[in-house]
Amino acid sequence: MTANYPALRLRRTRATAWSRAMHRENFLSPADLIWPLFVTDGSGVEEPIGSLPGVSRWSLDGIAARAKEAVSLGIPCLALFPNTQPGRRSEDGREALNPDNLMCRAIKTIRDTVGDGLGVLTDVALDPYTSHGQDGLIDAKGYVLNDATVEVLVGQSLNQAAAGADIIAPSDMMDGRIGVIRAALEEAGHHNMQIMAYAAKYASAFYGPFRDAVGSGGLLKGNKMTYQMDPANGEEALREVALDLAEGADSVMVKPGLPYLDIARRVKERFEVPVFAYQVSGEYAMIEAAVTVGSGDRDALVLETLTAFKRAGCSGVLTYHAAHAARLLNA
Ligand SMILES: NCc1[nH]cc(CCC(=O)O)c1CC(=O)O
Ligand SMILES: [Mg+2]
């Protein structure tokens, strides 16, 4: 017979703050946070994003300031997303290959500002550069072509690597791209380039504010369901992860975050590799909306949700609340 009430009272260890601290199983630290930033042209520019209250697009000088802020807060890595001017967007997204594009200039700016003191994670996908807002090349019917897109993604990855990126993060969900990108990076001598694969990325309704932020939302016709995963599927996420690992990914991402914590946990248990989650724009917006109408306390909601990712087994989390959370954790 196992002990039962009253011999067993789980409330005993919860009775005091010191005891709760002593029994805590998971800890969130600033080192768990990856901070996504939106980059825009110009100088001295800060453009607030309406659907993402509290988040702005920054020109390069602002990106430099955020990089210094990240270092001082103990945040190890930034994730960059460019808002490409409409005039530089095209059907084939060729601006992704321009060595002087906004992304490459932002990478160099961060490098010049903080040296190797901060990791720079760069998104590989064509949606910030295409005139149609899809992540890849499309045929006459608007279907996103797999193999032709992968070829462009290889060029985009090499372009970001040459500019000084530390982690290449393909978010496009084309089949086979990790292997081809890995081979190209090795061939170009980028032996230490990390690849964090957006391996289990779902066709989610939580990406809306992000699409506003990079300026692709208004352009996008239709949806991304022919390449991003069906939110109803779990087994398939494990197959996606297995393939990306076999092809050479160093770590994998599950995205979105909170609604997919079960996937993060299953991936961690099955593969025992570094798993990251992306608490995406719509999740951030949901918390901010709750705070705005008085439905919750921001600090508590932020720390609780981010700690949940640690409990699920994640090594870290991409979150627009990164700086705020780090400030709370450092206080
Ligand atoms: N390749 C696009 C990309 N990379 C990151 C996000 C979403 C991130 C967020 O919502 O915060 C998206 C949006 C999409 O797939 O449409
Ligand atoms: Mg895949």
Side-chain angles (χ1 to χ4, degrees), residues 81 123 125 127 135 171 198 201 206-207 210-211 224 228 255 278 280-282 320:
F81 299 96
D123 203 76
D127 52 312
D135 290 23
S171 71
Y198 285 73
K201 176 171 177 179
F206 285 98
Y207 303 152
F210 172 95
R211 292 177 188 167
K224 302 191 178 183
Q228 298 177 352
K255 175 185 176 187
Y278 199 145
V280 299
S281 57
Y320 301 96

Side-chain angles (χ1 to χ4, degrees), residues 277-309:
Y278 199 145
Q279 188 177 45
V280 299
S281 57
E283 297 177 71
Y284 170 94
M286 217 158 58
I287 291 174
E288 289 301 313
V291 171
T292 299
V293 298
S295 300
D297 175 72
R298 177 184 289 113
D299 297 356
L301 289 170
V302 167
L303 293 179
E304 180 179 333
T305 57
L306 293 177
T307 302
F309 290 103

